[in-house]
Amino acid sequence: MEIIPAIDLKNGCAVRLFKGEMNSAKIYSNNPSEFAKKFEDLGAKRLHIVDLDGAFAGESVNFGVVEKIAKNTNLKIQIGGGIRNEEKIKDYLNLGVDRVILGSVALKNPEFVRDMTKKYKIVVGIDAKDGFVAVEGWAEVSKIKATDLAKLYADAGVEAIIATDISKDGTLSGVNLEFTSQIAKVSKIPTIASGGVANLEDIEKIASCDDISGVIIGKAYYEGKIDLEKAFKILN
């Protein structure tokens, strides 16, 4: 299992939200590149970045910040938020980003996503509220079940699925393991747990689930609830 620290970008700053609400943003750094370097120094191999502004705008907004992080670290970066076309996928990959996360477009245009998986390393982000897929920066909740969307990509060649229970995100209340495992089982794709990690015990629980391939850590680190060095050692 892989531990992946997260940086969410809003107005060029590293922030965290509570249950995906943009007006709840708490700023942790106005220099996300420094944060990324610290993650690398602590032992991280991969970094999860979300362009929150981009997710709401439907286009990449914090591209320059991601570029700086890519240049200043050797981390394998996965980036999501507002990526809706092949041109932007190529722009990010040309920066040295390892793989691109497609969220809203994965629901709205599955054929496009399937086409992209044939050319690039694509991760599908499935964000759910009460079991139903949320899109456009979580501002809209669809009538499609998260598990049904996961099934749709079972044979698509997707690198991974990131499963986020919005009700858990930024709450430090524990990951929804049942939801994450369901996504993994129906898709048979490496599935990354996201949202709600509170402490090292949560990481140990996730590591004991054979069908979960990774976990994203954000607020728990920022709020001093998790020692990342210890977290990485749990997996060694």
Side-chain angles (χ1 to χ4, degrees):
M1 191 192 76
E2 189 175 27
I3 294 174
I4 310 171
I7 293 179
D8 288 358
L9 299 173
K10 184 174 187 286
N11 298 327
C13 297
V15 307
R16 298 307 295 173
L17 306 183
F18 182 78
K19 296 185 179 181
E21 297 169 5
M22 282 292 269
N23 59 7
S24 72
K26 180 177 179 179
I27 297 172
Y28 288 94
S29 174
N30 59 9
N31 192 336
S33 182
E34 279 186 4
F35 249 28
K37 186 61 182 169
K38 187 172 184 181
F39 285 141
E40 185 175 29
D41 292 342
L42 290 170
K45 303 299 182 189
R46 187 181 299 279
L47 178 66
H48 176 78
I49 302 178
V50 178
D51 180 351
L52 294 173
D53 300 306
F56 278 87
E59 60 183 10
S60 300
V61 176
N62 289 287
F63 187 85
V65 181
V66 179
E67 181 177 23
K68 188 175 180 182
I69 292 171
K71 285 181 177 178
N72 291 348
T73 72
N74 294 309
L75 292 164
K76 291 183 177 180
I77 295 171
Q78 57 186 37
I79 172 72
I83 303 169
R84 305 283 195 271
N85 56 59
E86 185 172 4
E87 181 182 4
K88 190 51 63 178
I89 291 172
K90 288 193 288 188
D91 285 346
Y92 273 122
L93 295 177
N94 287 337
L95 288 186
V97 165
D98 181 56
R99 56 194 193 185
V100 171
I101 305 161
L102 300 179
S104 296
V105 73
L107 174 69
K108 297 184 174 183
N109 193 347
E111 285 307 310
F112 168 75
V113 177
R114 284 177 170 272
D115 287 344
M116 294 303 98
T117 61
K118 295 170 185 174
K119 303 177 185 180
Y120 314 109
K121 294 168 73 172
I122 300 296
V123 174
V124 168
I126 298 181
D127 307 323
K129 189 172 185 178
D130 300 321
F132 292 89
V133 179
V135 294
E136 305 300 335
W138 301 353
E140 298 176 17
V141 179
S142 73
K143 295 180 180 179
I144 306 298
K145 287 184 177 180
T147 47
D148 288 340
L149 184 61
K151 284 179 192 174
L152 186 64
Y153 289 102
D155 60 349
V158 172
E159 286 270 313
I161 289 177
I162 297 171
T164 305
D165 178 348
I166 294 170
S167 70
K168 292 283 190 178
D169 194 70
T171 64
L172 302 175
S173 61
V175 172
N176 187 337
L177 288 178
E178 182 180 358
F179 167 69
T180 310
S181 291
Q182 284 177 342
I183 296 294
K185 285 182 172 69
V186 300
S187 68
K188 298 189 170 49
I189 294 169
T191 301
I192 300 166
S194 171
V197 174
N199 49 45
L200 291 174
E201 287 75 18
D202 282 342
I203 292 173
E204 289 170 342
K205 286 178 187 175
I206 297 164
S208 69
C209 297
D210 292 337
D211 51 5
I212 299 177
S213 67
V215 59
I216 291 170
I217 296 177
K219 194 169 188 176
Y221 169 76
Y222 294 111
E223 292 288 334
K225 306 293 185 184
I226 282 183
D227 182 326
L228 268 182
E229 280 189 294
K230 286 184 179 178
F232 289 125
K233 286 175 183 174
I234 287 174
L235 303 184
N236 293 335

